Amino acid sequence: MLLIMSSDQSLCHWSMYHVAPVLFNKSYSHTLLFLILCRKANIFVSFLVDIALGLLLISWLYRENRISKLADTLVPVADHVAKELQELLEWLMGAPAGLKMNRALDQVLGRFFLYHIHLWISYIHLMSPFIERILWYVGLSACLGLTFALSILSDIVALLTFHIYCFYVYGARLYCLKIYGLSSLWRLFRGKKWNVLRQRVDSCSYDLDQLFIGTLLFTILLFLLPTTALYYLVFTLLRLVVVLFQGVIHLSVDFINSFPLFAIVLRICRPYRLAEGVKFNVLCQEPGTPLHLMMEINPLKCSSVLQCYRMPTYSCSPKDSWAALCKKLFVGELIYPWKQKTAKTD
């Protein structure tokens, strides 16, 4: 765009004072309308891409009888995982890594978890005749979009690893109980107690019988803690592997739903439609002649396009910081990475 600047300053001042606010209001309304339309176009294009990817998944699954092959592979894989867990528990019931564990508690925990594995294997074999039919109907759900199929896949993974989740909950609850018991008894030795009403630690005087019982309980919990901590550590690592896999699925769903594909294509094909600003280049600057300027549009950067036009979604990233997450793991609190507790209001 070529601009010619004259020497009539009064006309320029009048135009800037009276016309500029009107142009600014119109340009702002046009920009806001374009932003709304562009976001709606992003939603529509993301929906079409989601449906197209889902149809491609259906065509791949129902070609060459892949559903039956997947169903025949799923049961042996579940049996193999259960046998690996059984061997891991038998290793823990012995002397893992040369560690000397509490024999009685080790046997009780090992047999308890082995019983759950036997129940899980029986459940898998009971459901094996219906797995192919279940997968067939689950594959049809991809016609609603790839994100819908990925969400169902995440639920299937949660169901197939439900025994690992149960092991993690059992170990975490038992470990958390001992940690809080040891912390309470440690305050008893120092003449302290936790004030529930004031939410603080206050001084307290204990008699001899209370100190004697506290010493016995502290000794028992302290010597039983390594055995419980080992089971808790193993099952927590298994649980984190499952959570990591589900996190990848949730990130994929979030990426498909929020990626501004229409805005990116518009930025590549017609960059002047997404402008970051303008710049002026001097073409001719001679004394006694009008000033000639060339106005050029600066296209919006791709990173700015992603930041401005990305659709808001339910984020699946963990809301706790790494320090809070490590603290929860250390004290044995249950971790729900994508579950947010809503604050209660009176």
Side-chain angles (χ1 to χ4, degrees), residues 25 48 120 135 190 282 287 305:
N25 292 332
L48 292 181
W120 179 251
L135 291 179
R190 296 182 298 147
V282 179
V305 172

Side-chain angles (χ1 to χ4, degrees), residues 159-215:
L159 291 175
L160 291 177
T161 58
F162 184 69
H163 55 308
I164 296 179
Y165 174 74
C166 291
F167 294 165
Y168 164 70
V169 172
Y170 297 153
R173 290 303 186 188
L174 188 59
Y175 176 78
C176 182
L177 179 63
K178 291 188 177 181
I179 288 295
Y180 279 104
L182 288 173
S183 62
S184 299
L185 294 173
W186 178 249
R187 286 194 293 267
L188 183 141
F189 291 153
R190 296 182 298 147
K192 305 286 185 179
K193 71 171 183 178
W194 176 255
N195 193 329
V196 182
L197 297 178
R198 297 179 179 271
Q199 294 293 312
R200 68 182 187 186
V201 178
D202 294 334
S203 299
C204 182
S205 59
Y206 297 97
D207 54 18
L208 186 60
D209 295 336
Q210 291 175 334
L211 292 175
F212 178 72
I213 298 297
T215 304

Side-chain angles (χ1 to χ4, degrees), residues 225-285:
L225 182 63
T227 304
T228 308
L230 182 61
Y231 278 88
Y232 168 70
L233 176 63
V234 172
F235 294 134
T236 300
L237 293 177
L238 294 176
R239 173 63 181 167
L240 290 178
V241 171
V242 177
V243 167
L244 180 63
F245 182 73
Q246 289 182 316
V248 173
I249 296 177
H250 290 181
L251 285 176
S252 302
V253 173
D254 184 77
F255 176 78
I256 295 174
N257 289 331
S258 64
F259 186 73
L261 184 60
F262 176 79
I264 292 295
V265 173
L266 188 64
R267 167 63 178 81
I268 295 174
C269 298
R270 296 183 178 181
Y272 62 87
R273 297 300 301 270
L274 300 177
E276 187 178 15
V278 295
K279 63 179 179 180
F280 295 94
N281 296 324
V282 179
L283 296 180
C284 180
Q285 186 178 8

Side-chain angles (χ1 to χ4, degrees), residues 20-33:
V22 178
L23 295 177
F24 176 77
N25 292 332
K26 289 184 178 180
S27 63
Y28 178 76
S29 61
H30 291 165
T31 302
L32 185 60
L33 180 61

